Short mmCIF file of all heavy atoms in Angstrom, two decimals:
data_model
loop_
_atom_site.label_atom_id
_atom_site.label_comp_id
_atom_site.label_asym_id
_atom_site.label_seq_id
_atom_site.Cartn_x
_atom_site.Cartn_y
_atom_site.Cartn_z
N MET A 1 25.21 -5.97 -74.97
CA MET A 1 25.78 -5.93 -76.30
C MET A 1 26.91 -6.96 -76.40
O MET A 1 27.71 -7.10 -75.49
CB MET A 1 26.33 -4.53 -76.54
CG MET A 1 26.92 -4.38 -77.88
SD MET A 1 26.73 -2.67 -78.37
CE MET A 1 27.53 -2.72 -79.87
N LEU A 2 26.94 -7.67 -77.54
CA LEU A 2 27.94 -8.70 -77.77
C LEU A 2 29.27 -8.07 -78.19
O LEU A 2 29.28 -7.11 -78.95
CB LEU A 2 27.50 -9.64 -78.89
CG LEU A 2 26.34 -10.58 -78.59
CD1 LEU A 2 25.94 -11.29 -79.88
CD2 LEU A 2 26.72 -11.60 -77.55
N PRO A 3 30.39 -8.65 -77.74
CA PRO A 3 31.68 -8.17 -78.26
C PRO A 3 31.73 -8.43 -79.76
O PRO A 3 31.06 -9.31 -80.29
CB PRO A 3 32.72 -9.02 -77.52
CG PRO A 3 32.00 -9.59 -76.34
CD PRO A 3 30.56 -9.62 -76.70
N THR A 4 32.54 -7.67 -80.48
CA THR A 4 32.61 -7.74 -81.94
C THR A 4 32.93 -9.15 -82.42
O THR A 4 32.31 -9.64 -83.36
CB THR A 4 33.67 -6.76 -82.46
OG1 THR A 4 33.38 -5.47 -81.94
CG2 THR A 4 33.70 -6.72 -83.96
N THR A 5 33.88 -9.85 -81.80
CA THR A 5 34.22 -11.21 -82.26
C THR A 5 33.04 -12.15 -82.12
O THR A 5 32.80 -12.97 -82.99
CB THR A 5 35.42 -11.79 -81.48
OG1 THR A 5 35.35 -11.39 -80.13
CG2 THR A 5 36.72 -11.43 -82.10
N ASN A 6 32.29 -12.05 -81.03
CA ASN A 6 31.12 -12.92 -80.87
C ASN A 6 30.05 -12.59 -81.91
O ASN A 6 29.32 -13.47 -82.35
CB ASN A 6 30.53 -12.78 -79.46
CG ASN A 6 31.41 -13.45 -78.42
OD1 ASN A 6 32.28 -14.25 -78.76
ND2 ASN A 6 31.19 -13.12 -77.16
N LEU A 7 29.96 -11.33 -82.29
CA LEU A 7 28.99 -10.92 -83.31
C LEU A 7 29.34 -11.56 -84.65
O LEU A 7 28.48 -12.07 -85.36
CB LEU A 7 28.97 -9.39 -83.42
CG LEU A 7 27.92 -8.79 -84.33
CD1 LEU A 7 26.52 -9.18 -83.86
CD2 LEU A 7 28.04 -7.29 -84.36
N PHE A 8 30.64 -11.57 -84.99
CA PHE A 8 31.07 -12.20 -86.24
C PHE A 8 30.82 -13.70 -86.22
O PHE A 8 30.40 -14.30 -87.20
CB PHE A 8 32.55 -11.92 -86.52
CG PHE A 8 32.82 -10.52 -86.98
CD1 PHE A 8 33.76 -9.73 -86.33
CD2 PHE A 8 32.14 -9.99 -88.06
CE1 PHE A 8 34.01 -8.43 -86.75
CE2 PHE A 8 32.39 -8.69 -88.49
CZ PHE A 8 33.32 -7.91 -87.83
N VAL A 9 31.10 -14.35 -85.09
CA VAL A 9 30.86 -15.79 -84.96
C VAL A 9 29.37 -16.07 -85.10
O VAL A 9 28.97 -16.99 -85.82
CB VAL A 9 31.40 -16.33 -83.61
CG1 VAL A 9 30.94 -17.76 -83.37
CG2 VAL A 9 32.92 -16.23 -83.59
N ALA A 10 28.54 -15.29 -84.46
CA ALA A 10 27.09 -15.49 -84.55
C ALA A 10 26.62 -15.29 -85.99
O ALA A 10 25.80 -16.06 -86.49
CB ALA A 10 26.36 -14.53 -83.61
N ALA A 11 27.13 -14.31 -86.67
CA ALA A 11 26.74 -14.06 -88.06
C ALA A 11 27.19 -15.21 -88.96
O ALA A 11 26.46 -15.65 -89.84
CB ALA A 11 27.33 -12.74 -88.55
N ALA A 12 28.38 -15.73 -88.72
CA ALA A 12 28.90 -16.83 -89.54
C ALA A 12 28.06 -18.08 -89.36
O ALA A 12 27.85 -18.85 -90.30
CB ALA A 12 30.35 -17.13 -89.17
N LEU A 13 27.53 -18.31 -88.17
CA LEU A 13 26.69 -19.48 -87.92
C LEU A 13 25.35 -19.39 -88.65
O LEU A 13 24.73 -20.41 -88.94
CB LEU A 13 26.46 -19.67 -86.43
CG LEU A 13 27.70 -20.07 -85.62
CD1 LEU A 13 27.38 -20.10 -84.13
CD2 LEU A 13 28.24 -21.42 -86.07
N LEU A 14 24.91 -18.18 -88.94
CA LEU A 14 23.63 -17.99 -89.62
C LEU A 14 23.74 -18.08 -91.13
O LEU A 14 22.75 -18.27 -91.82
CB LEU A 14 23.02 -16.64 -89.22
CG LEU A 14 22.66 -16.49 -87.74
CD1 LEU A 14 22.21 -15.07 -87.48
CD2 LEU A 14 21.59 -17.48 -87.36
N LEU A 15 24.96 -17.94 -91.67
CA LEU A 15 25.15 -17.98 -93.11
C LEU A 15 25.19 -19.43 -93.59
O LEU A 15 25.69 -20.31 -92.89
CB LEU A 15 26.46 -17.28 -93.49
CG LEU A 15 26.51 -15.78 -93.20
CD1 LEU A 15 27.91 -15.26 -93.48
CD2 LEU A 15 25.49 -15.05 -94.05
N PRO A 16 24.70 -19.69 -94.79
CA PRO A 16 24.78 -21.06 -95.30
C PRO A 16 26.24 -21.44 -95.58
O PRO A 16 27.06 -20.60 -95.92
CB PRO A 16 23.97 -21.02 -96.60
CG PRO A 16 23.92 -19.57 -96.99
CD PRO A 16 24.04 -18.78 -95.71
N ALA A 17 26.53 -22.72 -95.42
CA ALA A 17 27.88 -23.21 -95.68
C ALA A 17 28.15 -23.12 -97.18
O ALA A 17 27.25 -23.28 -97.99
CB ALA A 17 28.00 -24.65 -95.21
N PRO A 18 29.40 -22.85 -97.55
CA PRO A 18 29.72 -22.80 -98.98
C PRO A 18 29.50 -24.19 -99.61
O PRO A 18 29.74 -25.21 -98.98
CB PRO A 18 31.20 -22.40 -99.02
CG PRO A 18 31.73 -22.68 -97.66
CD PRO A 18 30.57 -22.62 -96.72
N VAL A 19 29.03 -24.18 -100.83
CA VAL A 19 28.80 -25.43 -101.55
C VAL A 19 30.09 -25.83 -102.25
O VAL A 19 30.67 -25.05 -102.99
CB VAL A 19 27.66 -25.25 -102.59
CG1 VAL A 19 27.49 -26.51 -103.40
CG2 VAL A 19 26.38 -24.85 -101.89
N VAL A 20 30.55 -27.03 -101.96
CA VAL A 20 31.75 -27.56 -102.60
C VAL A 20 31.30 -28.40 -103.78
O VAL A 20 30.56 -29.37 -103.62
CB VAL A 20 32.58 -28.41 -101.61
CG1 VAL A 20 33.78 -29.01 -102.30
CG2 VAL A 20 32.97 -27.59 -100.40
N GLN A 21 31.71 -28.01 -104.96
CA GLN A 21 31.33 -28.74 -106.16
C GLN A 21 32.18 -29.99 -106.30
O GLN A 21 33.40 -29.90 -106.26
CB GLN A 21 31.50 -27.85 -107.41
CG GLN A 21 30.56 -26.67 -107.45
CD GLN A 21 29.11 -27.10 -107.61
OE1 GLN A 21 28.82 -28.12 -108.20
NE2 GLN A 21 28.21 -26.33 -107.05
N GLN A 22 31.54 -31.14 -106.42
CA GLN A 22 32.22 -32.40 -106.67
C GLN A 22 32.17 -32.66 -108.17
O GLN A 22 31.16 -32.37 -108.80
CB GLN A 22 31.55 -33.55 -105.92
CG GLN A 22 31.58 -33.42 -104.41
CD GLN A 22 32.98 -33.54 -103.86
OE1 GLN A 22 33.81 -34.24 -104.41
NE2 GLN A 22 33.26 -32.82 -102.79
N PRO A 23 33.23 -33.23 -108.72
CA PRO A 23 33.15 -33.56 -110.14
C PRO A 23 32.05 -34.60 -110.35
O PRO A 23 31.83 -35.45 -109.49
CB PRO A 23 34.54 -34.13 -110.46
CG PRO A 23 35.15 -34.46 -109.15
CD PRO A 23 34.49 -33.62 -108.12
N PRO A 24 31.35 -34.51 -111.46
CA PRO A 24 30.26 -35.47 -111.69
C PRO A 24 30.83 -36.88 -111.85
O PRO A 24 31.92 -37.07 -112.39
CB PRO A 24 29.62 -34.98 -112.99
CG PRO A 24 30.67 -34.15 -113.65
CD PRO A 24 31.52 -33.59 -112.56
N VAL A 25 30.09 -37.84 -111.32
CA VAL A 25 30.47 -39.24 -111.45
C VAL A 25 29.97 -39.72 -112.80
O VAL A 25 28.81 -39.52 -113.15
CB VAL A 25 29.84 -40.07 -110.32
CG1 VAL A 25 30.09 -41.55 -110.53
CG2 VAL A 25 30.39 -39.62 -108.97
#
Side-chain angles (χ1 to χ4, degrees):
M1 181 151 178
L2 290 173
T4 306
T5 38
N6 288 344
L7 186 59
F8 286 127
V9 170
L13 292 174
L14 296 174
L15 295 174
V19 176
V20 177
Q21 294 293 330
Q22 297 293 328
V25 173

